[in-house]
Amino acid sequence: MAMTTEFGDSPAIDPQLHTRRLRRQDRFFFWLAWGSATVVVLVLLGVLLSLLSEALPALRQFGLPFLWTERWSPAKDIYGAAAPIFGTLVTSAIAMLIGVPASFGIAIFLTELCPKVLRRPIGIAIELLAGIPSIIYGLWGFFVFAPWMAAHVEPFLTATFGELPIIGVLFQGAPYGIGMLTAGIVLAIMILPFITSVTRDVFETVPVMLRESAYGLGMTTWEVVRHVIIPYTRLGLVGGVMLGLGRALGETMAVTFVIGNSHRIHASLLAPGTTISAAIANEFTEATTTLYSSSLVALGLILFVITFIVLGLAKWLTGRSESF
């Protein structure tokens, strides 16, 4: 029933009607959000089930030894995923070892040390790196960076570290220029803008009062970063690192150009290798048999599982950071 106000004859809102309308809106929003989350889960399960169904012939043929078999011979229909898995993990590890410290250093410089005049230009330049297509990185790596590595860096590494007792095996071999080390460095350059942007943003969320209080107590810049900024932004840093790792694990074209595409496991970082994504991109159009294409899809399934494990590890680290 319509109600009137004490100041005139204009009808007022019925509280019961208003409450029912709010409840309908709330239910609609609840089911909309629930449905959106359900769609994400269904898409994820659909991708997983499609990969499993397509990879089933290879899994039945080779079983679990498919994971640690190195041989890859399309002519004899013998396939193993050991070399692509090894190359994926090694190149991603190299990229993280180089990219994470560099990204943190750039973010610390931009937020703590860089003059205000240079902060914006340097920040824009770093963000522009993220917009460069991966194919451009691959072409640059193949035509410019790989020859430079073969002419200068790899001979130096072989002569300097190649004869050392333990780590020397990592730097032995002919200086091809293309190989896992080159691919890892190119990946580090590619993930650097992503980690740097996230790290810089989370560093800027630290309250000014905390910084000023720390400096007022006589802390140096390094002590402020170590004891104030990094503990305060731990969750954001984990997220940025995992974002970069996810990009490194799944990168295709840039790695394909510079890794050499060899289905062999070599101890030397200078030797050619391959990754899961590079192997799929190179050979999927050539897969003329069912077992061949199924083996490539099985590689995709393995990459899916590796990525899922990485995300689970990131969630676990985030939970530990929240508890801490």
Side-chain angles (χ1 to χ4, degrees):
M1 181 182 296
M3 300 177 63
T4 59
T5 62
E6 57 180 330
F7 298 102
D9 297 331
S10 59
I13 299 176
D14 189 343
Q16 294 181 354
L17 292 176
H18 182 64
T19 301
R20 286 197 294 268
R21 184 165 62 250
L22 291 178
R23 288 177 178 174
R24 287 195 298 268
Q25 294 175 354
D26 187 63
R27 285 196 299 269
F28 173 76
F29 177 76
F30 170 80
W31 288 111
L32 179 63
W34 192 89
S36 301
T38 304
V39 168
V40 173
V41 176
L42 291 177
V43 170
L44 184 66
L45 291 176
V47 171
L48 177 60
L49 292 176
S50 62
L51 289 175
L52 281 173
S53 63
E54 293 295 330
L56 200 57
L59 297 179
R60 287 176 175 172
Q61 177 70 22
F62 304 111
L64 282 179
F66 180 76
L67 297 175
W68 55 79
T69 300
E70 180 184 353
R71 189 177 181 184
W72 186 275
S73 177
K76 298 182 178 180
D77 256 355
I78 299 176
Y79 306 100
I85 294 174
F86 178 78
T88 300
L89 298 179
V90 170
T91 53
S92 299
I94 294 173
M96 299 304 290
L97 288 174
I98 298 174
V100 171
S103 300
F104 283 13
I106 295 172
I108 292 170
F109 174 76
L110 291 176
T111 56
E112 301 297 323
L113 302 173
C114 182
K116 292 184 178 180
V117 180
L118 298 177
R119 286 184 182 178
R120 187 172 181 82
I122 296 177
I124 293 175
I126 294 172
E127 291 174 356
L128 287 176
L129 289 175
I132 299 176
S134 60
I135 188 68
I136 303 301
Y137 280 108
L139 291 172
W140 169 80
F142 183 77
F143 288 109
V144 178
F145 188 64
W148 181 77
M149 288 284 291
H152 302 286
V153 177
E154 293 185 357
F156 170 78
L157 293 176
T158 303
T160 306
F161 301 104
E163 302 300 328
L164 295 179
I166 298 177
I167 65 173
V169 67
L170 298 176
F171 303 100
Q172 294 177 354
Y176 296 108
I178 57 174
M180 289 186 291
L181 180 61
T182 303
I185 296 175
V186 172
L187 280 178
I189 297 173
M190 295 183 66
I191 68 174
L192 187 143
F194 295 96
I195 303 178
T196 300
S197 298
V198 175
T199 304
R200 183 191 59 183
D201 291 340
V202 298
F203 280 174
E204 290 176 348
T205 62
V206 178
V208 179
M209 183 183 299
L210 291 180
R211 284 191 172 94
E212 294 178 348
S213 301
Y215 284 119
L217 292 174
M219 286 187 176
T220 63
T221 303
W222 164 245
E223 290 174 332
V224 171
V225 171
R226 180 182 178 185
H227 298 292
V228 177
I229 296 178
I230 291 180
Y232 188 88
T233 60
R234 184 181 290 109
L235 295 179
L237 296 181
V238 172
V241 170
M242 292 304 168
L243 175 65
L245 180 57
R247 176 69 186 273
L249 287 171
E251 181 53 44
T252 304
M253 294 310 301
V255 175
T256 303
F257 273 89
V258 297
I259 198 170
N261 302 305
S262 172
H263 283 272
R264 294 289 184 271
I265 295 178
H266 301 278
S268 176
L269 299 178
L270 310 183
T274 189
T275 63
I276 294 176
S277 54
I280 295 174
N282 274 327
E283 304 183 32
F284 201 80
T285 56
E286 303 174 0
T288 56
T289 64
T290 302
L291 191 58
Y292 194 178
S293 59
S294 178
S295 299
L296 293 174
V297 176
L299 289 180
L301 177 62
I302 294 171
L303 183 59
F304 182 91
V305 173
I306 292 174
T307 306
F308 187 82
I309 293 174
V310 169
L311 294 178
L313 179 62
K315 186 64 177 178
W316 178 74
L317 291 175
T318 303
R320 283 182 58 87
S321 299
E322 290 177 348
S323 301
F324 180 78

